[in-house]
Amino acid sequence: MRTSQYLLATQKEVPSDAEVISHQLMLRAGMVRKVAAGMYNWLPTGLRVLNKVAHIVRDEMNKAGAIEINMPVVQPADLWQESGRWEEYGPELLRIKDRHDRDFVLGPTHEEVVTALVSNEVNSYKQLPLNLYQIQTKFRDEVRPRFGIMRGREFIMKDAYSFHLSNECLDSTYQLMHKAYCNIFERIGLEYRPVIADSGSIGGAVSHEFHVLAESGEDDIAFSNQSDYAANVELAEAITLETSPEATQDLQSVDTGSASTIQEVCELLSIEPAKTVKTLLVKASDEVATDLVALIVRGDHSLNDIKASKHAWVASPLEFANADEVVTATGASIGCLGPVQARVPLIVDASAAACADFVCGANQNNTHYTGANWQRDVGEFEIADIREVVAGDPSPCGKGNLEIRKGIEVGHIFQLGDKYSKAMNCGVLTETGKHEVLQMGCYGIGVTRIVAAAIEQNHDKFGIIWPDAIAPFKVVIIPMNMHKSHRVKEVAESLYSALSDANIEVLFDDRKERPGVMFADMELIGVPYSIVVGERNLDNQQVEIKNRRSNEKTVIAIDEVVDTIK
Ligand code: ATP
Ligand code: MG
Ligand code: MG
Ligand code: MG
């Protein structure tokens, strides 16, 4: 590509309305231009990077056995009414009408459309499992679109949806997708962490987010300093409990220890099998073991209700087998678990809860408590403090303490279970001829957001420093005063042909600009290598190669250039 025939669109000035560095640099490097709030044109340089990200995502999805399809951006409201999300989904869902006054939405996600598709196309267990994906435009009417394409209203997502007969099969595809996501972020060259996450309004039980670590991140991520444990702090408010040793003794009699799955615990405690299970970080007083983990078993309540109740949860269903007590608020259940030796109930202050109506499970024999008497009945316990998890808190995994860093959510995977398949009657005939509803997983990656996240992690005061895997060009040829020197022009042209012939993505800066302007533009755009062609080195049949990341300059023979860059 020759800059003279290209739309370089670089800008010197730092745009005043761009808060984060990636937004500033994407505007200055001529990658995107705002059309309206949260909507952007992708200029050639931006699109080249975006396409590289999409290529890596597509390649890893294909390798993991997912199959590409394409679904429409505009979706009929009936599907959303069928799933129940027509009512559930807030104002982020942009609703539109066609000329016949029929309702439609601009797709913020595609669970409904894909479930309807599979429901029609797949009839037999023999066609399963199936994992379908697309890389496609989404629209979410974000209340606060910001940071450029990082939180756009229109953005590109890779969304995959898997369909299974059993939870075991769902889990194995989920693990495959988890691995594929790790491959994607490693290939792109980003520092990232998979973290335990909340599945929010989308429903489901098991969920992980993938975060690129960066100061401008909107999420706080809590990590154990001694294990792989990591969770989104959004879910990890800590509750500090004061308990008496006697009270702890009382609870030794509760026996849920025989249960090994959430399902079994729910049965033992006679509670509705939960749709979502989260652990809660509990700090107990000294008399009690400090590494308690509590669980919130969420019923039909939406996450927002529970959040409003100020209760806190870190997700990890791993240790539910040791649950000691389950307390349910209307529609919501709260469980507590710890090591068998140190059982302590989770105590909830009714006044802090959104609902005043509690059912106490397990050892309390499903006693129904309302408002104030609830507190009296379990009066031996009091909440001393409810607060956010802070750095230094013990990790809920029992190993080490928590560190907290900022993260940008670039991916999110969920085990949805049958939320959509049940509502939309998506099932198949099994081997025995029985009709069975499918289990689903869904797996999203913010393709456009990754571009911004990569810049947040890879820049300096001169501009972007692309990881090689997603650089818009691998190398740029910068000729010194080509318009005055025939020799410089000749060598630059021949290098351009040789590099192009070797299938290396090369930009040839053939503008009539001063060298300083060219250097500044190419550093801003972040091309990994520059080849500087100048009179002085040509005397020895040499050119200078500069590495954008290390700033290292080496002088090499002209005929070694292609092999060096390759
Ligand atoms: P966020 O918490 O940032 O609002 P989300 O949890 O609502 O994201 P998901 O529904 O999990 O997003 O969608 C999958 C992925 O799509 C996210 O992990 C993120 O990378 C990307 N994404 C979501 N919203 C946006 C947006 N407004 N602009 C760009 N990318 C987005
Ligand atoms: Mg969102
Ligand atoms: Mg999120
Ligand atoms: Mg998410």
Side-chain angles (χ1 to χ4, degrees):
M1 182 60 65
R2 293 166 189 271
T3 47
S4 61
Q5 294 166 9
Y6 189 66
L7 183 60
L8 204 55
T10 50
Q11 290 175 349
K12 244 181 143 168
E13 303 307 321
V14 179
S16 59
D17 57 341
E19 289 170 69
V20 294
I21 192 76
S22 58
H23 189 195
Q24 292 171 9
L25 288 174
M26 287 185 79
L27 291 169
R28 288 187 54 212
M31 292 178 67
V32 291
R33 289 290 183 266
K34 184 168 161 178
V35 176
M39 293 178 233
Y40 288 82
N41 286 321
W42 284 78
L43 304 189
T45 304
L47 187 62
R48 292 180 79 98
V49 177
L50 187 62
N51 285 343
K52 296 225 160 139
V53 173
H55 170 77
I56 292 172
V57 171
R58 178 176 281 118
D59 193 46
E60 291 297 330
M61 282 300 113
N62 293 345
K63 275 191 201 156
I67 301 172
E68 188 164 5
I69 58 170
N70 193 53
M71 294 179 274
V73 176
V74 178
Q75 310 174 6
D78 343 357
L79 293 178
W80 287 71
Q81 280 150 0
E82 237 184 278
S83 75
R85 283 207 291 188
W86 179 252
E87 268 81 40
E88 259 171 57
Y89 219 101
E92 249 179 51
L93 182 66
L94 188 66
R95 296 151 208 256
I96 50 176
K97 278 186 191 293
D98 72 1
R99 63 168 74 197
H100 306 294
D101 211 34
R102 289 189 205 110
D103 288 314
F104 289 84
V105 305
L106 285 191
T109 175
H110 280 70
E111 282 79 12
E112 283 78 2
V113 178
V114 79
T115 305
L117 172 74
V118 169
S119 171
N120 288 328
E121 299 304 320
V122 176
N123 311 306
S124 159
Y125 71 96
K126 289 181 191 157
Q127 295 165 279
L128 298 174
L130 188 61
N131 189 359
L132 301 174
Y133 81 96
Q134 62 175 349
I135 296 178
Q136 188 246 26
T137 299
K138 299 279 181 268
F139 194 95
R140 295 183 182 182
D141 203 354
E142 298 276 352
V143 58
R144 239 184 120 203
R146 61 184 191 147
F147 301 163
I149 52 116
M150 185 97 85
R151 181 170 298 285
R153 292 200 292 169
E154 188 175 306
F155 59 97
I156 295 174
M157 197 200 285
K158 184 284 299 174
D159 45 331
Y161 306 87
S162 68
F163 296 83
H164 315 264
L165 256 191
S166 70
N167 271 320
E168 290 69 39
C169 183
L170 165 59
D171 194 60
S172 94
T173 297
Y174 185 84
Q175 301 309 336
L176 260 179
M177 286 291 108
H178 192 290
K179 180 75 184 89
Y181 276 40
C182 293
N183 293 347
I184 288 166
F185 298 118
E186 264 150 44
R187 259 177 83 174
I188 295 175
L190 298 175
E191 196 197 341
Y192 74 98
R193 287 294 289 255
V195 310
I196 298 164
D198 175 60
S199 46
S201 69
I202 204 159
V206 179
S207 162
H208 286 84
E209 286 169 357
F210 289 76
H211 282 261
V212 162
L213 303 179
E215 270 316 301
S216 61
E218 293 182 283
D219 290 27
D220 287 308
I221 307 306
F223 307 88
S224 163
N225 57 6
Q226 281 172 32
S227 78
D228 282 345
Y229 177 87
N232 191 321
V233 169
E234 193 184 296
L235 319 165
E237 276 173 66
I239 238 175
T240 310
L241 298 180
E242 298 281 344
T243 62
S244 66
E246 309 83 67
T248 312
Q249 286 303 314
D250 285 352
L251 277 147
Q252 299 288 338
S253 57
V254 184
D255 187 13
T256 50
S258 63
S260 60
T261 64
I262 291 164
Q263 199 74 26
E264 284 169 19
V265 172
C266 291
E267 273 164 30
L268 271 169
L269 302 178
S270 344
I271 57 169
E272 275 290 298
K275 290 209 181 94
T276 305
V277 178
K278 314 259 177 232
T279 57
L280 171 70
L281 177 64
V282 177
K283 283 174 74 178
S285 58
D286 284 352
E287 300 89 77
V288 180
T290 51
D291 57 346
L292 290 173
V293 181
L295 269 170
I296 288 190
V297 184
R298 196 145 60 79
D300 281 328
H301 266 245
S302 78
L303 182 70
N304 289 340
D305 294 337
I306 296 180
K307 264 188 192 151
S309 79
K310 261 307 217 177
H311 297 310
W313 41 90
V314 181
S316 168
L318 302 174
E319 297 179 65
F320 197 84
N322 294 327
D324 289 320
E325 187 193 42
V326 170
V327 181
T328 66
T330 343
S333 316
I334 299 166
C336 168
L337 63 94
V340 185
Q341 255 54 17
R343 292 183 163 180
V344 172
L346 169 66
I347 300 312
V348 183
D349 173 6
S351 64
C355 336
D357 215 13
F358 287 90
V359 176
C360 211
N363 53 327
Q364 301 289 342
N365 214 4
N366 278 342
T367 320
H368 202 96
Y369 293 95
T370 48
N373 79 350
W374 138 265
Q375 258 226 299
R376 185 160 32 85
D377 268 61
V378 286
E380 289 145 290
F381 311 92
E382 263 170 37
I383 290 181
D385 185 21
I386 303 177
R387 60 170 177 77
E388 288 213 337
V389 160
V390 292
D393 278 349
S395 167
C397 72
K399 272 203 211 130
N401 295 327
L402 295 176
E403 277 172 28
I404 296 182
R405 285 179 67 181
K406 293 276 181 203
I408 300 168
E409 183 192 322
V410 287
H412 198 164
I413 58 177
F414 309 78
Q415 291 191 14
L416 292 172
D418 63 6
K419 174 170 167 140
Y420 297 91
S421 44
K422 204 168 166 185
M424 302 181 69
N425 192 25
C426 175
V428 296
L429 288 181
T430 64
E431 213 166 348
T432 57
K434 214 175 103 205
H435 186 265
E436 204 151 311
V437 166
L438 300 184
Q439 300 296 316
M440 282 175 66
C442 80
Y443 319 90
I445 280 194
V447 178
T448 39
R449 185 178 282 181
I450 286 176
V451 177
I455 297 173
E456 290 293 328
Q457 256 184 16
N458 294 278
H459 65 267
D460 63 12
K461 65 177 179 199
F462 303 111
I464 304 166
I465 308 175
W466 289 114
D468 282 17
I470 58 170
F473 298 95
K474 180 140 193 212
V475 57
V476 57
I477 299 169
I478 304 181
M480 302 286 96
N481 304 311
M482 176 172 86
H483 302 277
K484 289 181 202 145
S485 162
H486 179 69
R487 193 161 65 142
V488 167
K489 181 171 165 53
E490 207 173 38
V491 172
E493 287 285 356
S494 80
L495 278 174
Y496 179 56
S497 305
L499 288 162
S500 304
D501 290 348
N503 279 326
I504 295 168
E505 287 176 290
V506 52
L507 183 63
F508 180 11
D509 200 350
D510 61 348
R511 292 175 296 170
K512 260 192 183 162
E513 284 287 1
R514 287 179 290 112
V517 172
M518 294 183 183
F519 287 130
D521 274 349
M522 294 309 143
E523 292 206 312
L524 176 60
I525 293 172
V527 181
Y529 300 94
S530 316
I531 301 170
V532 184
V533 185
E535 281 286 351
R536 199 157 24 94
N537 285 324
L538 286 187
D539 288 343
N540 308 318
Q541 292 296 305
Q542 287 176 321
V543 291
E544 182 187 276
I545 295 190
K546 189 176 159 195
N547 182 311
R548 173 71 180 90
R549 193 173 285 273
S550 67
N551 244 333
E552 207 182 326
K553 292 177 189 167
T554 43
V555 176
I556 62 164
I558 294 168
D559 53 18
E560 282 170 20
V561 166
V562 173
D563 285 340
T564 308
I565 297 293
K566 233 179 195 163

